[in-house]
Coordinates of all heavy atoms in Angstrom, one line a residue:
M613 N 217.2 105.1 225.0 CA 216.6 105.8 223.9 C 217.4 107.0 223.5 O 217.8 107.8 224.4 CB 215.1 106.1 224.2 CG 214.3 106.6 223.1 SD 212.6 106.9 223.4 CE 212.0 105.2 223.4
T614 N 217.7 107.3 222.3 CA 218.5 108.4 221.8 C 217.6 109.7 221.9 O 216.4 109.7 221.9 CB 219.0 108.2 220.4 OG1 217.8 108.3 219.5 CG2 219.7 106.9 220.2
S615 N 218.3 110.8 221.9 CA 217.6 112.1 222.0 C 216.9 112.3 220.7 O 215.8 112.9 220.7 CB 218.6 113.2 222.2 OG 219.6 113.3 221.2
K616 N 217.4 111.8 219.6 CA 216.6 111.9 218.3 C 215.3 111.2 218.4 O 214.3 111.7 217.9 CB 217.5 111.4 217.1 CG 216.8 111.7 215.8 CD 217.8 111.2 214.7 CE 217.1 111.5 213.3 NZ 217.9 111.1 212.2
A617 N 215.3 110.0 219.0 CA 214.1 109.2 219.1 C 213.1 109.9 220.0 O 211.9 110.0 219.7 CB 214.4 107.8 219.6
L618 N 213.6 110.5 221.1 CA 212.7 111.2 222.0 C 212.1 112.4 221.3 O 210.9 112.7 221.5 CB 213.5 111.6 223.3 CG 213.9 110.5 224.2 CD1 214.8 111.1 225.3 CD2 212.6 109.9 224.8
L619 N 212.9 113.1 220.6 CA 212.4 114.3 219.8 C 211.3 113.9 218.9 O 210.3 114.6 218.7 CB 213.5 115.0 219.1 CG 213.2 116.3 218.3 CD1 212.5 117.3 219.3 CD2 214.4 116.9 217.6
T620 N 211.5 112.8 218.2 CA 210.5 112.3 217.2 C 209.2 112.0 217.9 O 208.1 112.3 217.4 CB 211.1 111.1 216.5 OG1 212.3 111.4 215.8 CG2 210.1 110.6 215.5
I621 N 209.3 111.3 219.0 CA 208.1 111.0 219.8 C 207.4 112.2 220.3 O 206.2 112.4 220.2 CB 208.5 110.0 221.0 CG1 208.9 108.7 220.4 CG2 207.3 109.9 221.9 CD1 209.6 107.8 221.5
A622 N 208.2 113.2 220.8 CA 207.6 114.5 221.3 C 206.9 115.2 220.2 O 205.8 115.7 220.4 CB 208.7 115.3 221.9
C623 N 207.5 115.2 219.0 CA 206.8 115.9 217.9 C 205.6 115.2 217.5 O 204.6 115.9 217.1 CB 207.8 116.0 216.7 SG 209.1 117.2 216.9
A624 N 205.6 113.9 217.5 CA 204.3 113.2 217.2 C 203.2 113.5 218.1 O 202.1 113.7 217.7 CB 204.6 111.7 217.2
F625 N 203.5 113.6 219.4 CA 202.5 114.0 220.4 C 202.0 115.4 220.2 O 200.8 115.7 220.4 CB 203.0 113.8 221.8 CG 202.9 112.4 222.3 CD1 204.1 111.6 222.5 CD2 201.7 111.7 222.6 CE1 204.0 110.3 222.9 CE2 201.6 110.4 223.0 CZ 202.8 109.7 223.1
L626 N 202.9 116.3 219.8 CA 202.5 117.7 219.5 C 201.6 117.8 218.3 O 200.7 118.6 218.2 CB 203.7 118.6 219.4 CG 204.5 118.8 220.7 CD1 205.8 119.6 220.4 CD2 203.7 119.6 221.7
L627 N 201.9 117.0 217.3 CA 201.2 117.1 216.0 C 199.9 116.3 216.0 O 199.0 116.6 215.3 CB 202.0 116.6 214.9 CG 203.2 117.5 214.5 CD1 204.0 116.8 213.4 CD2 202.7 118.8 214.0
F628 N 199.7 115.3 216.9 CA 198.5 114.5 216.9 C 197.2 115.3 217.1 O 196.3 115.2 216.3 CB 198.6 113.4 218.0 CG 197.3 112.6 218.0 CD1 197.1 111.6 217.0 CD2 196.4 112.7 219.0 CE1 196.0 110.8 217.0 CE2 195.2 112.0 219.0 CZ 195.0 111.0 218.0
P629 N 197.2 116.3 218.0 CA 196.0 117.1 218.1 C 195.7 117.9 216.8 O 194.5 118.0 216.4 CB 196.2 118.0 219.3 CG 197.3 117.4 220.1 CD 198.1 116.6 219.1
A630 N 196.7 118.3 216.2 CA 196.5 119.1 214.9 C 196.0 118.2 213.8 O 195.1 118.6 213.1 CB 197.9 119.7 214.5
L631 N 196.4 117.0 213.8 CA 195.9 116.0 212.8 C 194.4 115.7 213.0 O 193.6 115.7 212.1 CB 196.7 114.7 212.8 CG 198.2 114.9 212.4 CD1 198.9 113.6 212.5 CD2 198.4 115.4 211.0
S632 N 194.1 115.5 214.2 CA 192.7 115.2 214.5 C 191.8 116.4 214.3 O 190.6 116.2 213.9 CB 192.5 114.6 215.9 OG 192.9 115.5 216.9
V633 N 192.2 117.6 214.7 CA 191.4 118.8 214.5 C 191.2 119.1 213.0 O 190.1 119.3 212.6 CB 192.1 120.0 215.2 CG1 191.4 121.3 214.8 CG2 192.0 119.8 216.7
A634 N 192.3 119.0 212.2 CA 192.2 119.3 210.8 C 191.4 118.3 210.0 O 190.7 118.6 209.0 CB 193.6 119.4 210.2
A635 N 191.3 117.0 210.5 CA 190.6 116.0 209.8 C 189.1 116.2 209.9 O 188.4 115.7 209.1 CB 191.0 114.6 210.4
Q636 N 188.6 116.9 210.9 CA 187.2 117.1 211.1 C 186.8 118.4 210.4 O 186.4 119.4 211.0 CB 186.9 117.2 212.6 CG 187.3 116.0 213.4 CD 187.2 116.2 214.9 OE1 186.7 117.3 215.3 NE2 187.6 115.3 215.6
D637 N 186.8 118.4 209.0 CA 186.6 119.6 208.2 C 185.2 120.2 208.5 O 185.1 121.4 208.6 CB 186.7 119.2 206.8 CG 186.9 120.4 205.9 OD1 186.2 121.4 206.1 OD2 187.9 120.4 205.1
D638 N 184.2 119.3 208.7 CA 182.9 119.9 208.9 C 182.8 120.7 210.2 O 182.0 121.7 210.3 CB 181.8 118.7 209.0 CG 181.7 118.0 207.7 OD1 182.0 118.6 206.6 OD2 181.3 116.9 207.7
A639 N 183.6 120.4 211.2 CA 183.5 121.1 212.5 C 184.8 121.9 212.7 O 185.2 122.1 213.8 CB 183.3 120.1 213.6
F640 N 185.4 122.4 211.6 CA 186.7 123.1 211.7 C 186.5 124.3 212.6 O 185.6 125.1 212.4 CB 187.2 123.5 210.3 CG 188.5 124.2 210.4 CD1 189.7 123.5 210.6 CD2 188.6 125.6 210.3 CE1 190.9 124.1 210.7 CE2 189.9 126.2 210.3 CZ 191.0 125.4 210.6
D641 N 187.4 124.5 213.5 CA 187.4 125.6 214.4 C 188.8 126.3 214.3 O 189.8 125.7 214.8 CB 187.1 125.1 215.8 CG 187.0 126.3 216.8 OD1 187.8 127.3 216.7 OD2 186.3 126.1 217.8
A642 N 188.9 127.5 213.7 CA 190.1 128.1 213.5 C 190.9 128.4 214.8 O 192.1 128.2 214.9 CB 189.9 129.4 212.7
E643 N 190.1 128.8 215.8 CA 190.7 129.2 217.1 C 191.3 127.9 217.7 O 192.4 127.9 218.3 CB 189.8 129.8 218.1 CG 190.4 130.2 219.4 CD 189.5 130.9 220.3 OE1 188.3 131.1 220.0 OE2 189.9 131.3 221.4
Q644 N 190.6 126.8 217.7 CA 191.0 125.6 218.3 C 192.3 125.1 217.6 O 193.2 124.6 218.2 CB 189.9 124.5 218.3 CG 190.3 123.2 218.9 CD 189.2 122.2 218.9 OE1 188.2 122.4 218.3 NE2 189.4 121.1 219.5
T645 N 192.3 125.1 216.3 CA 193.4 124.7 215.5 C 194.6 125.6 215.7 O 195.7 125.1 215.8 CB 193.0 124.6 214.0 OG1 191.9 123.8 213.8 CG2 194.2 124.0 213.2
Y646 N 194.4 126.9 215.8 CA 195.4 127.8 216.2 C 196.1 127.4 217.5 O 197.3 127.3 217.6 CB 194.9 129.3 216.3 CG 195.8 130.2 217.1 CD1 197.0 130.7 216.5 CD2 195.6 130.4 218.4 CE1 197.8 131.5 217.3 CE2 196.4 131.2 219.2 CZ 197.5 131.7 218.6 OH 198.4 132.5 219.4
Q647 N 195.3 127.1 218.5 CA 195.8 126.7 219.8 C 196.6 125.4 219.7 O 197.7 125.3 220.4 CB 194.7 126.5 220.8 CG 194.0 127.8 221.2 CD 194.9 128.7 222.0 OE1 195.8 128.3 222.7 NE2 194.5 130.0 221.9
A648 N 196.2 124.5 218.8 CA 196.9 123.2 218.7 C 198.1 123.3 217.8 O 199.0 122.5 218.0 CB 195.9 122.2 218.2
T649 N 198.2 124.2 216.9 CA 199.2 124.2 215.9 C 200.1 125.4 215.8 O 201.2 125.4 215.3 CB 198.7 123.8 214.5 OG1 197.8 124.9 214.1 CG2 197.9 122.5 214.5
C650 N 199.5 126.6 216.1 CA 200.2 127.8 215.9 C 200.7 128.5 217.2 O 201.6 129.3 217.1 CB 199.3 128.8 215.1 SG 198.6 128.1 213.7
F651 N 200.0 128.2 218.3 CA 200.3 129.0 219.5 C 201.7 128.8 220.0 O 202.3 129.8 220.6 CB 199.3 128.5 220.6 CG 199.5 129.2 221.9 CD1 199.0 130.5 222.1 CD2 200.3 128.6 222.9 CE1 199.2 131.2 223.3 CE2 200.5 129.3 224.1 CZ 200.0 130.6 224.3
A652 N 202.3 127.7 219.8 CA 203.7 127.5 220.2 C 204.6 128.6 219.8 O 205.5 129.0 220.6 CB 204.2 126.1 219.8
C653 N 204.4 129.1 218.6 CA 205.2 130.2 218.1 C 204.5 131.6 218.2 O 205.0 132.5 218.7 CB 205.7 130.0 216.7 SG 206.8 128.6 216.5
H654 N 203.3 131.6 217.7 CA 202.5 132.9 217.6 C 201.9 133.3 218.9 O 201.4 134.4 219.0 CB 201.5 132.8 216.5 CG 202.1 132.8 215.1 ND1 202.6 133.9 214.5 CD2 202.3 131.8 214.2 CE1 203.1 133.6 213.4 NE2 203.0 132.3 213.2
G655 N 202.0 132.4 219.9 CA 201.5 132.8 221.2 C 202.6 133.2 222.2 O 202.4 133.8 223.2
T656 N 203.9 133.0 221.7 CA 205.1 133.2 222.5 C 206.1 134.1 221.9 O 207.0 134.6 222.5 CB 205.7 131.9 222.9 OG1 206.2 131.3 221.7 CG2 204.8 130.9 223.6
G657 N 206.0 134.3 220.6 CA 207.0 135.0 219.8 C 208.2 134.2 219.5 O 209.2 134.8 219.0
A658 N 208.1 132.9 219.6 CA 209.3 132.0 219.3 C 209.7 132.2 217.8 O 208.8 132.5 217.0 CB 208.9 130.6 219.6
A659 N 210.9 132.1 217.6 CA 211.5 132.2 216.2 C 211.1 133.5 215.5 O 210.9 133.6 214.3 CB 211.0 131.0 215.3
H660 N 211.0 134.5 216.3 CA 210.6 135.9 215.8 C 209.3 136.0 215.1 O 209.1 136.8 214.3 CB 211.7 136.4 214.9 CG 213.1 136.4 215.6 ND1 213.4 137.3 216.6 CD2 214.2 135.6 215.4 CE1 214.7 137.0 217.0 NE2 215.1 136.0 216.2
S661 N 208.4 135.1 215.5 CA 207.1 135.1 214.9 C 206.2 136.2 215.5 O 206.4 136.6 216.7 CB 206.3 133.8 215.0 OG 206.1 133.5 216.4
P662 N 205.3 136.8 214.8 CA 204.5 137.9 215.4 C 203.5 137.2 216.3 O 202.8 136.3 216.0 CB 203.8 138.5 214.2 CG 203.8 137.4 213.1 CD 205.0 136.6 213.4
E663 N 203.4 137.8 217.5 CA 202.5 137.2 218.5 C 201.1 137.7 218.2 O 200.9 138.9 217.9 CB 202.9 137.7 219.9 CG 204.2 137.0 220.4 CD 204.5 137.4 221.9 OE1 203.6 137.1 222.7 OE2 205.6 138.0 222.1
V664 N 200.2 136.8 218.4 CA 198.7 137.2 218.3 C 198.5 138.3 219.3 O 198.8 138.1 220.5 CB 197.8 136.0 218.4 CG1 196.4 136.4 218.5 CG2 198.0 135.1 217.2
G665 N 197.9 139.4 219.0 CA 197.6 140.4 219.9 C 198.5 141.6 219.7 O 198.2 142.7 220.2
D666 N 199.7 141.4 219.0 CA 200.6 142.5 218.8 C 200.2 143.3 217.6 O 200.6 142.9 216.4 CB 202.0 141.9 218.6 CG 203.1 143.0 218.6 OD1 202.8 144.1 218.2 OD2 204.3 142.7 218.9
Q667 N 199.4 144.3 217.8 CA 198.8 145.0 216.7 C 199.8 145.6 215.7 O 199.7 145.5 214.5 CB 198.0 146.2 217.3 CG 197.2 146.9 216.2 CD 196.3 148.0 216.7 OE1 196.1 148.1 217.9 NE2 195.7 148.8 215.9
I668 N 200.9 146.1 216.2 CA 201.9 146.8 215.3 C 202.5 145.7 214.4 O 202.6 145.9 213.2 CB 203.0 147.5 216.1 CG1 202.3 148.7 216.8 CG2 204.1 148.0 215.2 CD1 203.2 149.4 217.8
E669 N 202.9 144.6 214.9 CA 203.6 143.6 214.1 C 202.6 143.0 213.0 O 203.0 142.8 211.9 CB 204.0 142.4 215.0 CG 205.3 142.7 215.8 CD 206.5 143.0 215.0 OE1 206.7 142.4 213.9 OE2 207.3 143.9 215.4
W670 N 201.3 142.9 213.4 CA 200.4 142.4 212.4 C 200.0 143.5 211.4 O 199.8 143.2 210.2 CB 199.2 141.8 213.1 CG 199.5 140.5 213.7 CD1 199.7 140.2 215.0 CD2 199.7 139.2 212.9 NE1 200.1 138.8 215.1 CE2 200.0 138.2 213.9 CE3 199.6 138.9 211.6 CZ2 200.2 136.9 213.5 CZ3 199.8 137.5 211.3 CH2 200.1 136.6 212.2
E671 N 200.0 144.7 211.8 CA 199.7 145.8 210.8 C 200.9 145.9 209.8 O 200.6 146.0 208.6 CB 199.6 147.2 211.5 CG 198.3 147.4 212.2 CD 198.3 148.7 213.0 OE1 199.3 149.4 213.2 OE2 197.1 149.0 213.5
I672 N 202.1 145.7 210.2 CA 203.2 145.6 209.3 C 203.0 144.5 208.3 O 203.2 144.7 207.1 CB 204.6 145.5 210.1 CG1 204.8 146.8 210.9 CG2 205.7 145.2 209.1 CD1 206.0 146.6 211.9
R673 N 202.7 143.4 208.8 CA 202.5 142.2 207.9 C 201.3 142.4 206.9 O 201.3 141.9 205.8 CB 202.4 140.9 208.7 CG 203.8 140.5 209.1 CD 203.8 139.6 210.4 NE 205.1 139.2 210.7 CZ 205.9 140.0 211.4 NH1 205.6 141.2 211.9 NH2 207.2 139.5 211.7
M674 N 200.2 143.0 207.4 CA 199.0 143.2 206.6 C 199.3 144.2 205.4 O 198.6 144.2 204.5 CB 197.9 143.7 207.4 CG 197.0 142.6 208.0 SD 196.4 141.5 206.8 CE 195.2 142.5 205.8
E675 N 200.4 145.0 205.5 CA 200.7 145.9 204.4 C 201.0 145.0 203.1 O 200.8 145.5 202.0 CB 202.0 146.7 204.8 CG 201.6 147.8 205.8 CD 202.9 148.6 206.2 OE1 204.0 148.3 205.7 OE2 202.7 149.4 207.1
K676 N 201.4 143.8 203.3 CA 201.6 142.9 202.2 C 200.3 142.3 201.6 O 200.3 141.8 200.5 CB 202.5 141.7 202.6 CG 203.9 142.2 203.1 CD 204.7 141.0 203.6 CE 206.0 141.5 204.3 NZ 206.7 140.4 204.9
G677 N 199.3 142.4 202.4 CA 198.0 141.9 202.0 C 197.7 140.5 202.5 O 198.6 139.7 202.8
L678 N 196.4 140.2 202.6 CA 196.0 138.9 203.2 C 196.5 137.7 202.3 O 196.9 136.7 202.8 CB 194.5 138.8 203.3 CG 193.9 137.5 203.8 CD1 194.4 137.2 205.2 CD2 192.4 137.6 203.8
D679 N 196.4 137.9 201.0 CA 196.8 136.8 200.1 C 198.2 136.4 200.3 O 198.6 135.2 200.3 CB 196.5 137.1 198.6 CG 195.1 137.2 198.3 OD1 194.2 136.6 199.0 OD2 194.7 137.8 197.3
T680 N 199.1 137.4 200.5 CA 200.5 137.1 200.7 C 200.7 136.4 202.1 O 201.5 135.5 202.2 CB 201.4 138.4 200.7 OG1 201.2 139.0 199.4 CG2 202.8 138.2 201.0
L681 N 200.0 136.8 203.1 CA 200.1 136.2 204.4 C 199.7 134.7 204.3 O 200.4 133.8 204.9 CB 199.3 136.9 205.4 CG 199.7 138.3 205.9 CD1 198.7 138.9 206.9 CD2 201.1 138.2 206.5
V682 N 198.6 134.5 203.6 CA 198.1 133.1 203.4 C 199.2 132.3 202.6 O 199.5 131.1 203.0 CB 196.7 133.0 202.8 CG1 196.3 131.6 202.5 CG2 195.7 133.7 203.7
Q683 N 199.7 132.8 201.5 CA 200.7 132.1 200.7 C 201.9 131.8 201.5 O 202.5 130.7 201.4 CB 201.0 132.9 199.5 CG 200.0 132.8 198.4 CD 199.6 131.4 198.1 OE1 198.5 130.9 198.2 NE2 200.6 130.6 197.6
N684 N 202.4 132.8 202.4 CA 203.5 132.5 203.3 C 203.2 131.4 204.2 O 204.1 130.6 204.6 CB 203.9 133.8 204.0 CG 204.5 134.8 203.1 OD1 205.0 134.5 202.0 ND2 204.6 136.1 203.6
T685 N 202.0 131.3 204.7 CA 201.6 130.2 205.6 C 201.6 128.9 204.9 O 202.1 127.9 205.4 CB 200.2 130.5 206.2 OG1 200.2 131.8 206.8 CG2 199.8 129.4 207.1
I686 N 201.1 128.9 203.7 CA 201.1 127.6 202.9 C 202.5 127.2 202.5 O 202.9 126.0 202.7 CB 200.2 127.8 201.6 CG1 198.8 128.0 202.0 CG2 200.4 126.6 200.7 CD1 197.9 128.5 200.9
A687 N 203.3 128.1 202.1 CA 204.7 127.7 201.6 C 205.8 127.7 202.6 O 206.8 127.2 202.4 CB 205.1 128.7 200.5
G688 N 205.5 128.4 203.8 CA 206.6 128.5 204.8 C 207.3 129.9 204.5 O 207.1 130.5 203.5
L689 N 208.1 130.3 205.5 CA 208.7 131.6 205.4 C 210.1 131.6 205.9 O 210.3 131.2 207.1 CB 207.8 132.6 206.1 CG 208.2 134.1 206.0 CD1 208.1 134.5 204.5 CD2 207.3 134.9 206.9
N690 N 211.0 132.1 205.1 CA 212.4 132.3 205.5 C 213.1 131.1 206.1 O 214.0 131.3 206.9 CB 212.5 133.5 206.5 CG 212.0 134.8 205.9 OD1 212.1 135.0 204.7 ND2 211.4 135.7 206.7
G691 N 212.7 129.9 205.9 CA 213.3 128.8 206.4 C 213.0 128.6 207.9 O 213.6 127.7 208.5
I692 N 212.2 129.4 208.5 CA 211.9 129.3 209.9 C 210.5 128.8 210.1 O 210.4 127.8 210.8 CB 212.1 130.7 210.6 CG1 213.5 131.2 210.5 CG2 211.7 130.6 212.1 CD1 213.7 132.6 211.0
M693 N 209.5 129.4 209.5 CA 208.2 128.9 209.6 C 208.1 127.7 208.6 O 208.3 128.0 207.4 CB 207.1 129.9 209.3 CG 205.7 129.4 209.4 SD 204.6 130.8 209.2 CE 203.1 129.8 208.9
P694 N 207.7 126.6 209.0 CA 207.6 125.4 208.1 C 206.4 125.6 207.2 O 205.4 126.3 207.6 CB 207.5 124.2 209.0 CG 206.9 124.8 210.3 CD 207.4 126.2 210.4
P695 N 206.4 125.0 206.0 CA 205.2 125.0 205.2 C 204.0 124.5 205.9 O 204.1 123.6 206.7 CB 205.6 124.0 204.0 CG 207.1 124.1 204.0 CD 207.5 124.2 205.4
R696 N 202.9 125.2 205.8 CA 201.6 124.9 206.4 C 201.7 125.1 208.0 O 200.9 124.6 208.7 CB 201.1 123.6 206.0 CG 201.1 123.3 204.5 CD 200.4 122.1 204.1 NE 199.0 122.4 203.9 CZ 198.5 123.2 202.9 NH1 199.2 123.8 202.1 NH2 197.2 123.3 202.8
G697 N 202.7 125.8 208.4 CA 202.9 126.0 209.9 C 203.1 124.6 210.5 O 203.9 123.9 210.0
L698 N 202.4 124.3 211.5 CA 202.5 122.9 212.0 C 201.2 122.1 211.8 O 200.9 121.1 212.4 CB 202.7 123.0 213.5 CG 204.1 123.5 213.9 CD1 204.2 123.6 215.5 CD2 205.2 122.6 213.4
C699 N 200.4 122.6 210.8 CA 199.1 121.9 210.5 C 199.2 121.3 209.1 O 198.7 121.8 208.1 CB 198.0 122.9 210.6 SG 196.4 122.0 210.5
A700 N 199.9 120.2 209.0 CA 200.2 119.5 207.7 C 198.9 119.0 207.1 O 198.9 118.9 205.8 CB 201.1 118.3 208.0
T701 N 197.9 118.8 207.8 CA 196.6 118.3 207.2 C 195.6 119.4 206.9 O 194.5 119.1 206.4 CB 196.0 117.2 208.1 OG1 195.7 117.8 209.4 CG2 197.0 116.0 208.2
C702 N 195.9 120.6 207.3 CA 195.0 121.7 207.0 C 194.9 122.0 205.6 O 195.9 122.0 204.9 CB 195.4 123.0 207.8 SG 195.1 123.0 209.5
S703 N 193.7 122.3 205.1 CA 193.5 122.7 203.7 C 194.0 124.2 203.6 O 194.1 124.8 204.6 CB 192.1 122.5 203.3 OG 191.3 123.5 204.0
D704 N 194.1 124.6 202.3 CA 194.5 126.0 202.1 C 193.4 126.9 202.7 O 193.7 128.0 203.4 CB 194.6 126.3 200.7 CG 195.9 125.7 200.0 OD1 196.7 125.0 200.8 OD2 196.0 125.8 198.8
D705 N 192.1 126.6 202.6 CA 191.0 127.4 203.2 C 191.1 127.4 204.7 O 190.8 128.4 205.3 CB 189.7 126.9 202.7 CG 189.4 127.2 201.2 OD1 190.1 128.1 200.7 OD2 188.6 126.5 200.6
Q706 N 191.4 126.3 205.3 CA 191.5 126.2 206.7 C 192.7 127.1 207.2 O 192.6 127.8 208.2 CB 191.7 124.8 207.2 CG 190.5 123.9 207.0 CD 190.7 122.5 207.3 OE1 191.8 121.9 207.1 NE2 189.6 121.8 207.7
L707 N 193.8 127.0 206.5 CA 194.9 127.9 206.9 C 194.6 129.4 206.7 O 194.9 130.2 207.6 CB 196.2 127.6 206.0 CG 196.8 126.2 206.3 CD1 197.9 125.9 205.2 CD2 197.4 126.1 207.7
K708 N 193.8 129.7 205.7 CA 193.3 131.1 205.6 C 192.5 131.5 206.8 O 192.6 132.6 207.3 CB 192.6 131.3 204.3 CG 192.1 132.7 204.0 CD 191.4 132.8 202.7 CE 190.9 134.3 202.6 NZ 190.2 134.5 201.3
A709 N 191.6 130.6 207.2 CA 190.7 130.8 208.3 C 191.6 131.1 209.6 O 191.2 131.9 210.4 CB 189.8 129.7 208.5
I710 N 192.6 130.3 209.8 CA 193.5 130.5 210.9 C 194.2 131.9 210.9 O 194.3 132.6 211.9 CB 194.5 129.4 211.0 CG1 193.8 128.0 211.3 CG2 195.5 129.6 212.1 CD1 194.7 126.8 211.1
V711 N 194.7 132.2 209.7 CA 195.4 133.5 209.5 C 194.3 134.6 209.8 O 194.7 135.6 210.5 CB 195.9 133.7 208.1 CG1 196.4 135.1 207.8 CG2 197.1 132.7 207.9
E712 N 193.1 134.5 209.3 CA 192.1 135.5 209.6 C 191.8 135.6 211.1 O 191.6 136.7 211.6 CB 190.8 135.2 208.8 CG 191.0 135.5 207.3 CD 189.9 135.0 206.5 OE1 189.1 134.1 206.9 OE2 189.7 135.5 205.3
F713 N 191.8 134.4 211.8 CA 191.5 134.4 213.2 C 192.7 135.2 213.9 O 192.4 136.0 214.8 CB 191.5 133.0 213.8 CG 191.6 132.9 215.3 CD1 190.6 133.3 216.1 CD2 192.9 132.6 215.8 CE1 190.8 133.3 217.5 CE2 193.0 132.6 217.2 CZ 192.0 132.9 218.0
M714 N 193.9 134.9 213.5 CA 195.0 135.6 214.2 C 195.0 137.1 213.9 O 195.2 137.9 214.8 CB 196.4 135.0 213.7 CG 196.6 133.6 214.2 SD 198.3 133.0 214.0 CE 198.4 132.9 212.2
L715 N 194.6 137.5 212.7 CA 194.5 138.9 212.4 C 193.3 139.6 213.2 O 193.5 140.7 213.8 CB 194.2 139.1 210.9 CG 195.4 138.9 210.0 CD1 195.0 138.8 208.5 CD2 196.5 139.9 210.2
D716 N 192.2 138.9 213.2 CA 191.0 139.4 214.0 C 191.4 139.6 215.4 O 190.8 140.5 216.1 CB 189.8 138.5 213.8 CG 189.2 138.6 212.4 OD1 189.5 139.5 211.6 OD2 188.4 137.7 212.1
S717 N 192.2 138.7 215.9 CA 192.6 138.8 217.4 C 193.7 139.8 217.6 O 194.0 140.0 218.8 CB 193.1 137.4 217.8 OG 192.1 136.4 217.7
S718 N 194.2 140.4 216.6 CA 195.4 141.3 216.7 C 195.1 142.7 216.3 O 195.7 143.6 216.8 CB 196.6 140.7 215.9 OG 196.9 139.4 216.3
L719 N 194.2 142.9 215.4 CA 193.9 144.2 214.9 C 192.7 144.9 215.4 O 191.8 144.2 215.9 CB 193.9 144.2 213.3 CG 195.1 143.7 212.6 CD1 194.9 143.6 211.1 CD2 196.3 144.6 212.9

């Protein structure tokens, strides 16, 4: 099996929990979805992402306003953060809830 095939399989396993969480709109849990889709970067600082809990980094980003943070989440940012983060099936409102969860956990 090629490394490209292995990477594709690995990504599928990583995204599966995100797909199932986002599909359950009635029972949407921003924290659970964050853990499944955002923690890989925002819990570790990977790709220079602001870590949840880093008050200074989130205060800097909040200077742009919540709407800008949500739009950056929806559209992606600087070619590093993919559009919609890693939650391709999340609605815009669900993404906003995740951003609010990260802010509440950081400020």
Side-chain angles (χ1 to χ4, degrees):
M613 191 175 280
T614 68
S615 60
K616 185 175 179 181
L618 289 173
L619 180 60
T620 302
I621 292 168
C623 287
F625 279 108
L626 290 172
L627 289 176
F628 181 74
L631 297 176
S632 63
V633 169
Q636 301 171 6
D637 200 312
D638 293 338
F640 183 75
D641 183 328
E643 181 176 4
Q644 182 180 7
T645 306
Y646 160 80
Q647 290 295 333
T649 62
C650 309
F651 180 81
C653 293
H654 289 283
T656 65
H660 305 289
S661 63
E663 289 184 60
V664 169
D666 186 334
Q667 183 176 354
I668 293 171
E669 287 296 323
W670 285 102
E671 285 176 349
I672 292 168
R673 282 155 179 84
M674 270 306 292
E675 289 175 5
K676 299 174 186 176
L678 178 62
D679 290 339
T680 299
L681 289 176
V682 172
Q683 282 307 117
N684 288 343
T685 303
I686 293 168
L689 187 63
N690 299 330
I692 297 172
M693 181 176 163
R696 309 192 86 68
L698 291 176
C699 193
T701 61
C702 284
S703 69
D704 291 355
D705 288 338
Q706 290 170 333
L707 291 172
K708 182 178 180 182
I710 295 168
V711 170
E712 290 172 336
F713 164 76
M714 292 192 294
L715 288 168
D716 290 345
S717 298
S718 301
L719 299 176

